Amino acid sequence: TGTITEGKMFVDSLITFNQKINISDKEKNYSKTFNKDVSKLIFIGINCNNSSIDKNYNDEDGIDGILGTSTENAILYFAYKNNYLDIRTKFDEIPFNSDRKFMATLHECDNYNMLSIKGAPEKIFEKCDFILDNGETKKINEKKFNKIVLTYNNLASSGLRVIACAYKNFNNRYKKIKH
């Protein structure tokens, strides 16, 4: 989730099925509080992302030194401030557009390739049959799905921009996303 302050967007909170981290200080390092699910969420957010940090980036530049859209800049800036810039090689991308309301990337991981999707929660939810719960992939049931939708609706109704993320691992021979 994110908020716009002074015309700039910052990450407000990170929410997984089993953890919520409220970001009260945009300059603070929260990485010690990340569980596996939050780490995966950040990994998706920075790899399914077209913003970039210039090689001459100076911490004094703050979020203004990150090049891209305000939403993607906020995600990348948060990862940078938390020493979590695990950016991988991108093989393919379906770019975000206002009709599709999500973007997808296929990128390299250690022994596999990962399809990452980031976008409007209602578009991401319709593509998912599983959730990540304490590092385990579990089939989503109606009760869990309703909890997720309720959380999303509460955040959105309070004025936050809410972004959902999902992923699927593939054999490393896949280098293209089937459209």
Side-chain angles (χ1 to χ4, degrees), residues 40-100:
K40 180 68 80 176
L41 180 66
I42 297 167
F43 183 87
I44 294 166
I46 63 174
N47 282 287
C48 190
N49 192 318
N50 284 321
S51 288
S52 62
I53 296 177
D54 186 87
K55 64 180 179 182
N56 297 320
Y57 179 78
N58 182 323
D59 204 39
E60 293 175 9
D61 294 335
I63 201 163
D64 294 327
I66 298 177
L67 309 171
T69 66
S70 59
T71 302
E72 292 192 337
N73 289 0
I75 295 166
L76 200 55
Y77 183 70
F78 178 81
Y80 170 81
K81 293 304 286 183
N82 286 279
N83 301 313
Y84 200 86
L85 286 181
D86 187 8
I87 298 173
R88 303 296 180 101
T89 300
K90 186 188 306 182
F91 295 122
D92 198 11
E93 175 180 326
I94 298 174
F96 180 89
N97 72 33
S98 57
D99 293 328
R100 193 174 21 252

Side-chain angles (χ1 to χ4, degrees), residues 118-158:
K118 173 177 60 86
E122 64 276 9
K123 295 297 183 180
I124 303 303
F125 296 162
E126 69 188 25
K127 299 178 182 316
C128 296
D129 293 323
F130 297 89
I131 60 167
L132 189 61
D133 188 3
N134 285 318
E136 292 182 38
T137 303
K138 296 180 180 177
K139 183 88 172 141
I140 193 164
N141 60 37
E142 187 175 349
K143 182 179 176 184
K144 289 179 181 180
F145 180 77
N146 289 339
K147 179 182 175 184
I148 293 166
V149 171
L150 179 64
T151 301
Y152 156 61
N153 287 334
N154 287 339
L155 293 166
S157 67
S158 68

